[in-house]
Amino acid sequence: MIILLMGVSGSGKTTIGKLLAETLNCKFSDADNFHSATNIEKMRLGIPLNDADRKLWLEDLQAAIKNWLQENKNVVLACSALKTNYRQMLMIDSCIQLVYLKGSFDVIENRLKARQNHFMTEKLLKSQFHDLEEPDNCICVDVSELPEVIVKKIRTALAI
């Protein structure tokens, strides 16, 4: 099984993803690690990425997912996957479960302001919410809860 944790920057994808992967004894992967140096520099400078910037990133993520599926690996993947067409590129098999980490602008903004040493700052949050196309037919979890509570809710919803 591959669990795709999606949401805007600051929604807790990495924190929740690592904890969830640990409790499931499986691999964790962060889509941020698939970004090019150019994309990371743009975001560090406060320049939102566009669809063209994300194209190769999404293709690399899709290739990684195909590889995990072929190797029958269980993976928790943290990825913003903000738009429907991005998720369509990544949700290539029925064993991929989509989990949406949903939070209000204010909650996420406060988290980003407190975060240090990350290329994605609160300056880009408005563009993230602007690009966000909320998914249907997924597990949706409120990110205002404690990480352990969120992981428990995800595991309950997935029946694992």
Side-chain angles (χ1 to χ4, degrees), residues 8-14 32 109-122:
V8 297
S9 183
S11 61
K13 295 181 300 291
T14 301
D32 285 347
E109 182 180 42
N110 287 333
R111 286 183 178 184
L112 288 177
K113 285 179 178 177
R115 186 160 73 176
Q116 297 178 1
N117 301 320
H118 193 277
F119 60 84
M120 189 69 160
T121 68
E122 76 274 3

Side-chain angles (χ1 to χ4, degrees), residues 2-80:
I2 295 175
I3 300 170
L4 175 59
L5 292 179
M6 64 139 311
V8 297
S9 183
S11 61
K13 295 181 300 291
T14 301
T15 301
I16 301 303
K18 286 180 177 178
L19 186 59
L20 180 61
E22 182 181 311
T23 67
L24 296 174
N25 196 28
C26 71
K27 175 184 167 99
F28 170 77
S29 186
D30 193 327
D32 285 347
N33 296 329
F34 290 78
H35 274 299
S36 67
T38 302
N39 281 1
I40 290 172
E41 186 58 22
K42 280 183 84 168
M43 290 183 281
R44 189 184 318 275
L45 294 172
I47 302 168
L49 299 181
N50 59 37
D51 287 349
D53 295 324
R54 292 185 179 109
K55 185 177 186 310
L56 289 175
W57 173 69
L58 287 164
E59 289 172 355
D60 288 346
L61 285 168
Q62 185 185 65
I65 291 168
K66 285 179 181 177
N67 190 40
W68 296 330
L69 290 169
Q70 287 174 348
E71 294 176 357
N72 204 28
K73 287 189 175 178
N74 295 316
V75 179
V76 175
L77 172 62
C79 178
S80 55

Side-chain angles (χ1 to χ4, degrees), residues 4-9 11 13 31-32 35 54 57-58 61 65 77-91 98-100 128 131-135:
L4 175 59
L5 292 179
M6 64 139 311
V8 297
S9 183
S11 61
K13 295 181 300 291
D32 285 347
H35 274 299
R54 292 185 179 109
W57 173 69
L58 287 164
L61 285 168
I65 291 168
L77 172 62
C79 178
S80 55
L82 298 175
K83 294 185 178 184
T84 302
N85 63 326
Y86 300 168
R87 292 188 295 275
Q88 288 170 341
M89 282 188 71
L90 303 177
M91 303 290 293
L98 182 64
V99 177
Y100 174 31
Q128 290 254 304
D131 285 350
L132 177 62
E133 297 169 0
E134 291 191 335

